[in-house]
């Protein structure tokens, strides 16, 4: 069944009406969610009409419907991808056995932890971005921000459904906690560090959606492989929504690059001070933003050597993204060559799966860079090519944690490293400059001077469409 029932209080395609206890528990949580949304979601735009998409089916094509909606009226609900008939476990020691429709007792706390950690990131990012609406570079971008925000709210619903439906009382308590931790809160912060970094400018938003939402994509892909079938189906549908978030990041950075290249051509120089004076983002500054957000997101994959990731894989809880593309799905015999500060070490593959995931994530990150670099090259500035930092740069988790490594991956002495940081990650002056660019542009079709217009609008509408009605 892929149709979604919108006649109920909580739209869903899992027949929650068939389980009165569950329905009541979720209906009890719903007003708390709305209260959180009003208090911690985007400020000051709750009464405005936003051109949003809403899921109407879980089929890959034609799953969404578009229309003007006030955000608090968005129909947040519970949508799982269709079940795969006779689905079998695709990896680990129980490979080939039927997937689980209930949580096996021995994996209960681990699965709950995985779901809570994923769930925590969803409202966290809404909190991080709550002030951005005031400085949008265009109505098109403002709409995209709000689309991402409501969908992250939907992703919270996705995880809360699993907690309520499969984890009893503990699950209900965790669902409450998901609304009581807050991004950057001194007493009750969000679980993962990156989700406590404020996102107070749009360049950071594009980097966040490019790098951090992409980490989300990889986490969801690996959970979509899970033997716990409801989790797999939940994550598969979340991935459909997630693609737009990364699109916003990739095209956002691409449009910044495009505008900067135009300005460099106009003023006939790539001198950062002159590019800034002309109101555009110089490429070395963009490089520092990329370094910051990429390295911060790399930590989200965890330690290079991890007995937890080994157990999660062996037990069938969490696979590798695109598990089917690998040959060996058990990995009891395989080794992995891991680069550490002490040199290359051979470790059991099972223990190195976080690193395997990090590597495939970085390959995915390269795709946008290739596109942006083509534009930079075509404009005649090949020396200003953008790059990704080495995985050992500025890490705070794992074998490279706290090691003084350059973005090129060279181990330095501490002093050299500290001096270098000012060239490698945004300086206070960089941030102040970016903030000085953040002025709201709210006339339909108009763009801020530091960013090029998108190639096309949303859902075949023109770029000039009034995507958010502010008046
Ligand atoms: Fe999400
Ligand atoms: Fe996302």
């Amino acid at each position: 069944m892929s149709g979604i029932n919108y006649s109920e209080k909580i739209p869903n395609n899992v027949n929650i009406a068939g389980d009165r206890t569950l329905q009541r528990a979720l209906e009890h949580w719903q007003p708390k969610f709305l209260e959180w949304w009003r208090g911690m979601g985007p400020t000051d735009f709750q009464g405005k009409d936003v051109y949003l998409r809403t899921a109407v089916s879980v089929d890959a094509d034609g799953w969404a419907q578009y229309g003007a909606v006030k955000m608090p009226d968005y129909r947040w609900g519970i949508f799982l991808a269709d079940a795969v008939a006779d689905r079998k476990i695709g990896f680990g020691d129980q490979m080939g056995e039927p997937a689980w429709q209930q949580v096996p007792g021995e994996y209960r706390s681990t699965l709950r932890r995985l779901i809570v950690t994923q769930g925590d990131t969803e409202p966290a990012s809404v909190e991080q971005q709550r002030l951005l609406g005031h400085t949008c570079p265009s109505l098109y971008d403002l709409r995209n921000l709000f689309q991402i925000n409501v969908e992250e709210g939907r992703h919270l619903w996705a995880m809360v459904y699993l907690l309520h439906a499969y984890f009893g009382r503990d699950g209900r308590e965790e669902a409450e906690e998901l609304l009581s931790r807050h991004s950057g809160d001194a007493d009750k912060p969000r679980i993962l560090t990156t989700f406590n970094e404020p996102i107070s400018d749009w360049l950071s938003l594009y980097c966040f959606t490019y790098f951090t939402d992409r980490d989300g994509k990889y986490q969801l892909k690996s959970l979509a492989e899970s033997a716990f079938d409801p989790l797999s189906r939940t994550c598969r549908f979340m991935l459909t929504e997630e693609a737009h978030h990364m699109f916003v990041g990739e095209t956002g950075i691409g449009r910044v690059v495009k505008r900067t290249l135009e300005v460099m051509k106009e003023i006939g120089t790539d001198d950062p001070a002159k590019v800034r004076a002309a109101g555009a983002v110089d490429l070395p500054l963009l490089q520092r933003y990329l370094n910051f957000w990429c390295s911060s997101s790399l930590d989200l994959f965890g330690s290079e050597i991890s007995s937890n990731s080994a157990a999660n894989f062996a037990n069938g809880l969490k696979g590798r993204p695109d598990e089917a593309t690998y040959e060996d799905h058990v990995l009891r015999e395989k080794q992995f060559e891991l680069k550490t500060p002490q040199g290359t070490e051979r470790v059991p593959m099972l223990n190195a799966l976080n690193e395997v995931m990090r590597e495939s994530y970085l390959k995915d990150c390269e795709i946008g860079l290739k596109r942006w670099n083509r534009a930079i090259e075509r404009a005649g500035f090949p020396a200003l090519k953008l790059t990704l930092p080495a995985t050992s740069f500025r890490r705070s988790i794992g074998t490279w944690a706290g090691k003084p490594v350059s973005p090129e991956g060279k181990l330095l002495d501490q002093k050299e490293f500290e001096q270098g940081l000012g060239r490698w990650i945004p300086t206070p002056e960089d941030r102040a400059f970016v903030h000085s660019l953040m002025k709201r542009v709210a006339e339909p079709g108009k763009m801020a001077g530091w960013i090029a217009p998108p190639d096309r609008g949303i859902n075949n509408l023109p770029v000039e469409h009034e995507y958010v009605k502010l008046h």
Side-chain angles (χ1 to χ4, degrees):
M1 176 179 111
S2 20
I4 289 173
N5 186 347
Y6 271 97
S7 64
E8 288 178 41
K9 230 173 166 181
I10 302 170
N12 72 92
N13 69 346
V14 287
N15 186 28
I16 55 171
D19 181 341
R20 292 300 297 275
T21 320
L22 173 63
Q23 187 180 33
R24 234 173 299 137
L26 286 166
E27 286 181 1
H28 187 67
W29 188 79
Q30 189 177 37
K32 297 180 188 176
F33 168 82
L34 284 171
E35 193 189 317
W36 166 81
W37 177 268
R38 287 183 182 277
M40 301 302 289
T43 61
D44 298 326
F45 296 92
Q46 306 277 357
K48 309 293 180 197
D49 277 330
V50 185
Y51 187 71
L52 294 176
R53 72 176 183 191
T54 307
V56 285
S57 134
V58 291
D59 287 334
D61 18 84
W63 62 274
Q65 166 190 293
Y66 291 77
V69 178
K70 292 186 180 43
M71 285 185 278
D73 300 334
Y74 189 77
R75 300 299 315 272
W76 285 285
I78 299 159
F79 317 130
L80 272 62
D82 287 336
V84 174
D86 300 318
R87 179 168 173 257
K88 302 277 189 286
I89 301 174
F91 62 94
D93 297 342
Q94 299 169 71
M95 178 157 171
E97 291 176 21
W100 316 319
Q101 298 309 323
Q102 288 297 330
V103 180
E106 64 267 47
Y107 307 135
R108 197 180 162 86
S109 64
T110 314
L111 271 172
R112 193 183 61 216
R113 192 79 206 140
L114 286 172
I115 292 168
V116 166
T117 308
Q118 179 63 41
D120 195 66
T121 65
E122 315 288 356
S125 67
V126 176
E127 294 167 352
Q128 286 172 290
Q129 298 162 15
R130 64 193 299 261
L131 295 172
L132 279 178
H134 295 285
T135 55
C136 63
S138 73
L139 288 182
Y140 164 90
D141 288 280
L142 186 62
R143 176 265 167 206
N144 283 345
L145 169 71
F146 293 157
Q147 181 70 56
I148 294 173
N149 291 161
V150 294
E151 284 174 354
E152 301 304 7
R154 224 285 303 156
H155 292 176
L156 172 60
W157 269 96
M159 294 297 118
V160 163
Y161 161 70
L162 294 174
L163 290 169
H164 273 248
Y166 297 96
F167 294 88
R169 197 200 162 124
D170 307 351
R172 289 194 295 277
E173 282 171 9
E174 293 285 11
E176 304 277 314
E177 287 294 295
L178 283 168
L179 296 177
S180 77
R181 285 184 291 270
H182 296 308
S183 179
D185 190 298
D187 300 322
K188 276 196 126 184
R190 291 293 175 184
I191 296 171
L192 302 167
T193 314
T194 311
F195 292 88
N196 288 300
E197 311 263 13
I199 302 177
S200 47
D201 66 77
W202 282 75
L203 192 57
S204 296
L205 175 75
Y206 297 135
C207 291
F208 180 91
T209 45
Y210 190 76
F211 290 108
T212 314
D213 277 282
R214 192 177 311 273
D215 158 74
K217 166 181 166 183
Y218 275 74
Q219 302 299 339
L220 292 175
K221 269 173 168 281
S222 67
L223 294 173
E225 303 289 339
S226 182
F228 178 42
D229 201 46
L231 175 60
S232 162
R233 291 173 56 199
T234 304
C235 291
R236 269 194 287 135
F237 184 64
M238 288 166 78
L239 281 164
T240 315
E241 293 166 312
E242 200 62 48
H244 173 70
H245 309 181
M246 278 162 289
F247 163 86
V248 169
E250 178 172 344
T251 54
I253 297 175
R255 288 161 56 207
V256 171
V257 170
K258 187 175 174 195
R259 180 65 195 136
T260 301
L261 294 171
E262 286 168 6
V263 166
M264 277 158 49
K265 234 180 217 166
E266 275 161 34
I267 61 176
T269 171
D270 61 5
D271 177 354
K274 291 188 175 135
V275 172
R276 287 186 192 195
V281 173
D282 53 294
L283 295 180
L285 183 155
L286 175 59
Q287 179 65 62
R288 290 193 284 280
Y289 269 69
L290 299 181
N291 287 346
F292 178 87
W293 283 101
C294 183
S295 55
S296 160
S297 303
L298 285 169
D299 267 341
L300 294 169
F301 290 92
S303 285
E304 283 75 2
I305 308 198
S306 162
S307 52
N308 282 343
S309 78
N312 289 345
F313 186 87
N315 294 333
L317 308 185
K318 191 175 171 184
R320 287 166 293 185
D322 307 305
E323 185 62 44
T325 61
Y326 294 89
E327 263 169 38
D328 180 347
H329 301 289
V330 183
L331 302 177
R332 285 281 173 200
E333 316 293 328
K334 279 243 161 64
Q335 302 266 303
F336 183 85
E337 298 214 339
L338 183 69
K339 279 193 217 89
T340 73
Q342 293 76 40
T344 302
E345 267 174 44
R346 284 181 76 82
V347 297
M349 176 69 91
L350 266 182
N351 292 70
L353 290 178
N354 288 343
E355 190 62 10
V356 171
M357 228 164 121
R358 192 159 21 233
E359 281 179 355
S360 50
Y361 163 80
L362 274 172
K363 265 196 207 126
D364 206 44
C365 289
E366 287 286 357
I367 296 172
L369 271 103
K370 277 200 193 110
R371 200 161 298 160
W372 309 328
N373 282 334
R374 255 200 312 272
I376 294 172
E377 217 165 281
R378 267 203 308 265
F381 300 95
L384 293 177
K385 189 168 161 260
L386 300 166
T387 54
L388 293 178
T391 53
S392 46
F393 173 65
R394 215 178 70 93
R395 291 288 302 283
S396 23
I397 288 179
T399 147
W400 293 97
K403 293 278 184 292
V405 179
S406 73
E408 293 76 33
K410 205 171 147 237
L411 196 55
L412 308 170
D413 60 52
Q414 193 62 34
K415 211 173 141 213
E416 247 181 311
F417 174 75
E418 271 154 32
Q419 284 167 350
L421 270 184
R423 299 193 305 277
W424 300 328
I425 58 171
T427 61
E429 295 76 46
D430 290 340
R431 292 193 186 276
F433 172 68
V434 170
H435 277 249
S436 76
L437 295 177
M438 298 297 124
K439 303 247 162 62
R440 167 153 41 162
V441 176
E443 216 179 299
K446 288 267 171 327
M447 294 289 140
W450 54 272
I451 190 164
D455 290 339
R456 57 190 71 83
I458 297 297
N459 192 32
N460 296 321
L461 288 178
V463 174
E464 296 74 31
H465 182 78
E466 194 176 0
Y467 288 102
V468 184
K469 292 210 165 57
L470 292 178
H471 306 294

